[in-house]
Amino acid sequence: MTTPNEWLTLEAAAKATQTDVAILEDCLKTEPEKQFHKYGLLYDRERRESGKTAYLQQLEPTQPEPFQTRKPACEVSDRAYTWDNTPVRLEILWLPSTDGQDRKVLISATSYDDFPVSDLIAATQLDALPAPLLALLEELKADLPVRKLRYQQQSKEQKPVSRPVSLKSATSISMPVPANSKPSTQIKLF
């Protein structure tokens, strides 16, 4: 099983997608970006042209709608596939910078729970984003230190702590937890 963002050779991609290698080789002939996309693969022309043998990534399927809101298969005929009446999900994923190079950005769009169309571009190819998106990104940027602390705290809490075994019997007092209690979002600093 491959991990997200793992670069694959043609052979590894064939195995991961359960496709014949010869079929994937044919994808290299004409418009490889589009051809590989049909098999759930992202093709990076720059990696291949630079001589790297691993130039494919397996695309992650988009998250389906929550189970409660999905309609049974017999009722999906009411889906609208016209531009004005189709829900469209647009995703922009800035990938981490490698070797000090310009960041790559994976852009994708899909309708319903269908397979996305996507492209991998250089971050410099993005024009100015709309003001509401820039405001969200600035909010996220400012919140990153808090998110880091929260992650570190959660990591500490999840690690098993080895405690010395006491020969004395311990008594504990348990307090009932209200059924409607919400988990705390406060971060313990000390």
Side-chain angles (χ1 to χ4, degrees):
M1 177 141 189
T2 61
T3 58
N5 301 330
E6 178 182 346
W7 290 105
L8 306 170
T9 63
L10 197 62
E11 293 76 17
K15 184 177 180 182
T17 59
Q18 299 176 349
T19 307
D20 189 49
V21 175
I23 293 173
L24 293 184
E25 286 174 344
D26 286 341
C27 292
L28 292 168
K29 295 177 182 174
T30 311
E31 296 181 318
E33 291 85 356
K34 290 181 182 179
Q35 299 302 320
F36 281 114
H37 187 266
K38 293 176 186 176
Y39 297 97
L41 296 167
L42 177 69
Y43 170 76
D44 189 332
R45 183 179 300 274
E46 292 174 9
R47 285 184 68 86
R48 182 163 186 254
E49 289 175 353
S50 69
K52 295 182 179 173
T53 58
Y55 49 83
L56 296 169
Q57 280 186 352
Q58 195 166 12
L59 292 171
E60 295 180 32
T62 59
Q63 296 295 325
E65 296 175 19
F67 181 73
Q68 302 89 315
T69 62
R70 293 191 91 182
K71 294 182 179 180
C74 60
E75 295 182 27
V76 294
S77 61
D78 63 342
R79 283 187 173 189
Y81 280 94
T82 59
W83 181 250
D84 291 337
N85 299 315
T86 303
V88 175
R89 179 187 313 239
L90 178 65
E91 293 185 10
I92 305 171
L93 174 64
W94 280 267
L95 299 172
S97 177
T98 57
D99 304 329
Q101 296 176 350
D102 188 25
R103 288 180 80 162
K104 296 288 184 183
V105 178
L106 178 63
I107 53 176
S108 64
T110 189
S111 60
Y112 298 105
D113 56 353
D114 299 328
F115 202 75
V117 292
S118 62
D119 197 6
L120 184 67
I121 62 173
T124 55
Q125 288 181 275
L126 284 177
D127 288 332
L129 295 173
L133 291 179
L134 289 174
L136 279 176
L137 290 173
E138 285 300 317
E139 184 178 339
L140 176 65
K141 185 177 179 180
D143 195 42
L144 286 176
V146 174
R147 290 170 182 246
K148 180 179 179 181
L149 287 173
R150 186 178 303 131
Y151 172 77
Q152 289 172 342
Q153 182 66 29
Q154 288 172 347
S155 295
K156 287 179 186 177
E157 290 174 1
Q158 290 176 357
K159 290 182 182 176
V161 179
S162 60
R163 294 182 182 161
V165 179
S166 172
L167 297 176
K168 296 180 182 178
S169 62
T171 58
S172 63
I173 300 172
S174 62
M175 300 286 289
V177 179
N180 61 354
S181 67
K182 295 180 182 176
S184 173
T185 56
Q186 281 188 322
I187 300 172
K188 298 176 185 175
L189 295 177
F190 301 100

